[in-house]
Amino acid sequence: MNLETLGTPAALIDRPRMQRNIARMQDHLNTLGVAFRPHVKTSKCIEVARAQAAAGARGITVSTLKEAEQFFAAGFDDILYAVGMAAGKLPAALALRRRGCALKIITDSVAQARAIADFGRAQGEVFPVLIEIDTDGHRSGIKPDEDALLAVAETLRDGGMEVAGVLTHAGSSYDLNTPEALAAMAEQERAGCVRAAERLRAAGHACLIVSVGSTPTAVAARDLRGVTEVRAGVYVFFDLVMANVGACTPDDIALSVLATVIGHQEDKGWAIIDAGWMAMSRDRGTQKQTRDYGYGQVCTLDGTPLSGYMVSAANQEHGIVARVGEPDAGIAARLPIGTRVRILPNHACATGAQFPAYQAVDADGQATEWPRFYGW
Amino acid sequence: MNLETLGTPAALIDRPRMQRNIARMQDHLNTLGVAFRPHVKTSKCIEVARAQAAAGARGITVSTLKEAEQFFAAGFDDILYAVGMAAGKLPAALALRRRGCALKIITDSVAQARAIADFGRAQGEVFPVLIEIDTDGHRSGIKPDEDALLAVAETLRDGGMEVAGVLTHAGSSYDLNTPEALAAMAEQERAGCVRAAERLRAAGHACLIVSVGSTPTAVAARDLRGVTEVRAGVYVFFDLVMANVGACTPDDIALSVLATVIGHQEDKGWAIIDAGWMAMSRDRGTQKQTRDYGYGQVCTLDGTPLSGYMVSAANQEHGIVARVGEPDAGIAARLPIGTRVRILPNHACATGAQFPAYQAVDADGQATEWPRFYGW
């Protein structure tokens, strides 16, 4: 199959771009002297994770236990589940560990730590637990200087669990868009997480792992002293949100949606395509950024952006392509019925999730199907 | 399984509410004397469609040929594919018809009509084709009085295809929120589609089917003279967008996401749950409506809305629950770690699509897994 014969809509991976993104991030982190543990929530695809591992990544990060199970079944055995552990999920985590998966879990509260310890002790399992640190106030975690940090660690230790390290994610980096601000956030993320590790070590905890990361801060980091590993996910594909943040250029975006023109409303300057929000996802992440791309940037079949043309609106299986500003009265001639276009997505994690498989397109234009999974 | 034992996040169907929604719509359309062809793009679930058929629905509407294939395999053989036919999809449509599926397709341009006719003639297949009518300017279709209407019909007839009818979808009804405006839009949808049918019949086309519908206009319609069938999809579950439109009340919403509290940021009044945008979808359809529910309305486990509490922000696998207005300093006591909540979604079509299966919950609280599918 190739771009002319694939059914539409289809989720295309530009394989050379993906490989370039993987190599660039790995080289960058090698230079900084830290291990890289990619977040596979972006792709949920074994082939993509294998390309990351082949380039030098060590272990993976997951956002669901289903990801842990699927990737473990494919041979990945060093897995960090980076969402606060719910007691109800402990049996599934235990089952993975009993099958030989080096699964690490996280927590940010005494209540959760106690539930982990009680379950672990009852089952005779020592869970390696990282404590989640809040370095930017955007979501979960304990602030590096809070008393709760030591209380959680003590609860884990007293319960026989392993205080394996600390973890933070400066997700507010997504709201920034200058190199200076990104570098400052990377340093804030590093310093806060290292500070938490130092407090834990001073209290007698081993705390071997110091894990930080988000794609923008990973790209922007210039000094990661004290950090042992970095996590990043969306860098493997990048997207329009990341381009607005300044973590990539549009030329780095390796994921696009292949679509077919199925109609026009010439008086409005619209072309209708068969990729609506079910294909693009409902993500409107560029809405509040410097440049709003609607539901995505329209490109020709070879991937060249059609400047000013975006998916301006979307229904479930219909996308409306329009020019920003003055409507294009010649849209039907520019994009006749049957024309195939490629749409760059706002958010690669959300767009990829809409598809049961990617079509990985080589430099010669041949497509190979790479399955991906979803659900919990 | 029940609400205490299901893994989270899970997509719950309140089965008594669903049955009530199905019965109410069917009764309403029976009273108006029109057939009902539900749009199964909302559920993509055989069990849901069987409940609709059992109540009296005749045939189904689909938004993808994959839906047509899946539902045909489950015994549904009267199927309307309600997205403008792309030439590249004709072989798949032909394959369905050859296997005995009474598949009907639609078009709104001479170019598409010619492609259908050329393909049909070459394959010896008479495709029944409905012409899509634009009755509200929101998306695709030919306006009822445009010359193009007759040109498309002639192209189909001259090419040996069957001008089976006309179809319209007044999707702009989603932007309304008063009974008067909805009733007026329902009449506009009816009148425009009937007008198009009359023009076609005057030109000698049979045009037996006059198909209209959207959930808001289906609910609001009081007189459907000249219409032969109504289509509606989201009515089966309803959602917060439909409640804002006035097509239902929050008590009618049959779909919710079961989630677990996994953390807090007490100083901000946040509870963190394990349902982020991957579970809720990125749909923010209530953002521009009268009442903005963020990523969803928080309810207790028995389905009672916690007034003022919504999912105010979402990351991939994290939802932030907060009170509207003044932060709830007592959030950790109100929703302790491990608490299970149910979240009503903005848009049932988008939220359902995030899950490989629904959990259909009976009045006695027992859950049965109903698979659903996705992709193209």
Side-chain angles (χ1 to χ4, degrees), chain B residues 93-145:
Chain B
L94 176 68
L96 275 161
R97 288 191 55 82
R98 290 275 159 89
R99 287 159 56 206
C101 178
L103 181 72
K104 288 160 270 292
I105 61 177
I106 73 169
T107 187
D108 69 351
S109 70
V110 169
Q112 275 182 323
R114 190 171 296 132
I116 294 166
D118 288 350
F119 180 83
R121 203 156 37 184
Q123 300 289 334
E125 183 72 26
V126 178
F127 283 101
V129 185
L130 282 72
I131 302 177
E132 186 170 11
I133 308 301
D134 178 10
T135 52
D136 69 344
H138 89 288
R139 192 171 73 194
S140 303
I142 300 169
K143 289 180 191 67
D145 284 305

Side-chain angles (χ1 to χ4, degrees), chain A residues 89 112 262 274 282-283, chain B residues 89 112 262 274 282-283:
Chain A
K89 298 186 170 88
Q112 276 183 322
I262 59 169
D274 64 353
R282 271 292 196 192
D283 200 290
Chain B
K89 297 185 170 91
Q112 275 182 323
I262 59 169
D274 64 353
R282 271 293 195 192
D283 199 290

Side-chain angles (χ1 to χ4, degrees), chain A residues 8 41 89 109 112 137 139-141 262 265 268 274 282-283 315-318 337 354 356 374 376, chain B residues 8 41 89 109 112 137 139-141 262 265 268 274 282-283 315-318 337 354 356 374 376:
Chain A
T8 58
K41 77 182 176 76
K89 298 186 170 88
S109 71
Q112 276 183 322
R139 192 171 72 194
S140 303
I262 59 169
Q265 294 288 8
K268 299 191 179 82
D274 64 353
R282 271 292 196 192
D283 200 290
N315 295 149
Q316 187 158 335
E317 297 291 347
H318 297 79
I337 283 176
Q354 304 300 104
Y374 76 138
W376 292 269
Chain B
T8 58
K41 75 182 176 76
K89 297 185 170 91
S109 70
Q112 275 182 323
R139 192 171 73 194
S140 303
I262 59 169
Q265 295 288 8
K268 299 190 179 84
D274 64 353
R282 271 293 195 192
D283 199 290
N315 295 148
Q316 187 158 337
E317 298 291 347
H318 297 78
I337 282 177
Q354 304 298 105
Y374 76 138
W376 291 268

